[in-house]
Amino acid sequence: MSLKTFRDPALSRWQSAVEAVLHRKEGPAPDGSRPTLDHPVVAAATTAAAHTLSGVATAPAPAGAGTAAAPACCTDDECAHLALQLAKARVEHRPADEIQQLEDSLRFSTCDPLWAQAATEYVHFFDVDKGEIPYRASTGPNDPPPLPLPENATVALIADWGTGTPEAQALLEKVAAHRPDVLIHLGDVYYSGTETENMKYLLDVVNQVLGRGPGHPVPVFNLTGNHDMYSGGGPYYAMLGQLNQPPLAPPGQLQTHSFFSLRSSGWQLLGMDTGLHDSNVFDVETAMTYLEDTELAWHKNQIATAGGRRTILLSHHQLFSDFSAIGPKDNGDRSLNVLLKSQFDDVLDKVEAWLWGHEHNLEIYAPYLGLERGRCIGCSAVPVFVTQQPYKSCVGGKIPLLPANPAVPGVPVMLGTTGSIYNHGYVILKLDDASRTATLSYYQDTDTGDLLFVEKLGV
């Protein structure tokens, strides 16, 4: 496993802060790769974050107010824990004497100054909350206008992919072998969607692996996830401005908003922004996202004016889940995003499929609550251990899954494992515009590039 991510955005920001300081100290790796858990600083920062979630102390407690600072220490894990305690105390505006004691404990330890710098950098990441996310609202039914999708296009779909790890690059190399006309990422650049992370772990990698340029322009579209907004959204929008600039993509393919419409003669793909309302660092466990009213009206207009085209919806967050709790504890059994459901309830019968990420899993659902095909494909790069039991139902198997083999209804389509970790996956969508049909093929990244499941849309 090359990295570990957390649903807690404060801890994701901590990971970004440590990595930023580490880059300044050591410089980028010669091959441009991100530092992973093999690096002792990354490992220590990750351990400190994990222990913070579990309430385990890994560093000496600072001395009480008015007493001597804690004795010099420390192991990498203890230094990381002290620095994270200090960072959180500053952001939470804890009492001045408590902050001073933590500062003294770190200052008079044997810890690398990097850890004190990481605490300062962490506070900087929280400064982005003082401004508004630069969300670009729709100003009317044609803002933004639909972008052209090639006839009979091959569209590659990945989600939760922006880790910048060797595993992410290897998966994209498998995707590139299908020679897609378009690549769509359903969001989440880790850890916190910083400028460096957006440029290095998304833009640079897709340019290199897909060979984008004058001889091979490939449009790439990118949705917002929750991690993309943890740095305030500015880096996400700045990267969008460069994502499809010619010659990386053909002219007329710029993604100007965090949502989009791609249209061929027989199909339209609608990407939505569910990250905007899942950016609050203090309610990550209970947030239930939804669309801005102006964006919702825009999507519904796209569906109403589809002109016979069939529609596929794309988002980062899930509409429903059998395996991950959604929203606050009073949201029923927490299997359904009731806000998104209420927003799209009257058009779900016009939707051929809705694909989402957020959960680092592959889930192929049977028809449910008026949606013919709900698909979770957030399995493109983040490691998931077998011990995490991603296929253990949170709601008692309430939401039906499609079987891998109709003759064996009790065995759903599932990712395989390599050792103790689940395989990563991606989806290839092939459109047939004349017949208004399409084929969705679900692959896992193994040495043989296993095809797990195929389904036909529009029949």
Side-chain angles (χ1 to χ4, degrees):
M1 182 177 67
S2 57
L3 58 77
K4 179 176 176 59
T5 64
F6 299 93
R7 289 197 66 191
D8 187 319
L11 297 180
S12 295
R13 287 175 169 184
W14 161 248
Q15 292 175 292
S16 290
V18 171
E19 184 175 291
V21 172
L22 186 60
H23 272 302
R24 288 201 294 268
K25 178 182 178 182
E26 298 184 352
D31 62 357
S33 61
R34 98 180 296 164
T36 65
L37 286 170
D38 293 330
H39 195 293
V41 168
V42 175
T46 303
T47 298
H51 287 163
T52 296
L53 278 181
S54 63
V56 174
T58 58
T67 63
C73 58
C74 294
T75 66
D76 280 334
D77 284 355
E78 290 170 333
C79 291
H81 187 79
L82 270 175
L84 181 52
Q85 282 184 297
L86 172 59
K88 287 172 62 66
R90 287 173 173 169
V91 167
E92 294 166 5
H93 303 292
R94 303 299 297 269
D97 59 346
E98 180 180 334
I99 294 174
Q100 186 64 55
Q101 289 296 327
L102 287 164
E103 289 175 346
D104 289 345
S105 295
L106 195 56
R107 182 184 304 116
F108 298 121
S109 72
T110 59
C111 293
D112 189 312
L114 171 150
W115 292 109
Q117 296 167 20
T120 301
E121 188 78 11
Y122 180 84
V123 176
H124 165 73
F125 278 113
F126 272 83
D127 285 343
V128 299
D129 289 331
K130 296 176 182 177
E132 293 292 325
I133 290 173
Y135 174 81
R136 298 171 186 170
S138 172
T139 59
N142 203 41
D143 179 34
L147 298 175
L149 185 64
E151 293 295 289
N152 305 317
T154 296
V155 181
L157 297 159
I158 56 177
D160 298 79
W161 169 82
T163 61
T165 59
E167 294 89 346
Q169 179 163 330
L171 180 128
L172 193 60
E173 288 169 354
K174 293 288 178 61
V175 169
H178 293 271
R179 301 189 62 80
D181 299 299
V182 176
L183 172 70
I184 302 175
H185 179 224
L186 303 189
D188 268 4
V189 172
Y190 297 90
Y191 305 106
S192 307
T194 66
E195 179 182 0
T196 296
E197 290 166 346
N198 269 285
M199 301 306 292
K200 288 178 62 66
Y201 306 145
L202 191 143
L203 185 58
D204 287 354
V205 179
V206 298
N207 288 348
Q208 174 192 343
V209 174
L210 297 183
R212 302 173 80 205
H216 189 56
V218 181
V220 176
F221 298 92
N222 186 38
L223 292 179
T224 60
N226 45 307
H227 284 263
D228 300 302
M229 295 295 104
Y230 293 165
S231 286
Y236 166 84
Y237 284 96
M239 187 273 297
L240 278 192
Q242 300 185 43
L243 187 58
N244 283 335
Q245 286 288 351
L248 298 176
Q253 292 288 298
L254 291 181
Q255 181 183 339
T256 57
H257 294 61
S258 52
F259 49 96
F260 57 79
S261 169
L262 306 180
R263 281 184 172 179
S264 62
S265 63
W267 287 89
Q268 69 173 353
L269 311 183
L270 298 181
M272 65 184 76
D273 182 348
T274 60
L276 178 65
H277 293 294
D278 190 15
S279 62
N280 189 326
V281 298
F282 300 110
D283 68 357
V284 65
E285 293 298 329
T286 59
M288 187 153 54
T289 191
Y290 57 94
L291 300 194
E292 288 286 284
D293 288 343
T294 52
E295 182 184 336
L296 178 63
W298 179 88
H299 280 288
K300 290 192 171 180
N301 181 70
Q302 297 300 309
I303 294 173
T305 61
R309 297 176 180 87
R310 300 187 189 275
T311 298
I312 296 174
L313 295 182
L314 306 170
S315 65
H316 177 74
H317 289 77
Q318 67 276 67
L319 176 63
F320 51 75
S321 176
D322 204 58
F323 306 104
S324 183
I326 299 172
K329 292 181 179 179
D330 61 359
N331 179 35
D333 62 10
R334 305 182 74 185
S335 66
L336 174 67
N337 185 324
V338 294
L339 299 181
L340 278 180
K341 178 66 162 56
S342 66
Q343 289 187 313
F344 283 93
D345 211 18
D346 60 338
V347 294
L348 285 182
D349 61 339
K350 299 178 177 64
V351 173
E352 290 291 321
W354 186 339
L355 286 79
W356 56 73
H358 197 50
E359 297 170 62
H360 305 149
N361 204 1
L362 175 66
E363 302 156 22
I364 309 293
Y365 290 101
Y368 185 65
L369 296 181
L371 178 63
E372 184 68 19
R373 299 174 183 87
R375 309 289 185 251
C376 175
I377 63 168
C379 52
S380 295
V382 177
V384 176
F385 276 99
V386 172
T387 54
Q388 293 176 263
Q389 298 181 289
Y391 287 105
K392 181 180 180 180
S393 173
C394 291
V395 292
K398 167 185 172 181
I399 308 176
L401 296 168
L402 284 183
N405 182 343
V408 189
V411 181
V413 181
M414 295 174 58
L415 292 165
T417 58
T418 299
S420 61
I421 299 178
Y422 277 91
N423 297 326
H424 300 307
Y426 61 94
V427 177
I428 299 296
L429 168 66
K430 291 192 174 183
L431 304 179
D432 186 323
D433 284 294
S435 64
R436 295 195 307 143
T437 60
T439 303
L440 278 169
S441 300
Y442 300 81
Y443 292 86
Q444 61 180 344
D445 181 10
T446 64
D447 290 340
T448 55
D450 292 350
L451 177 59
L452 289 173
F453 184 66
V454 178
E455 60 183 333
K456 198 74 173 283
L457 279 60
V459 295

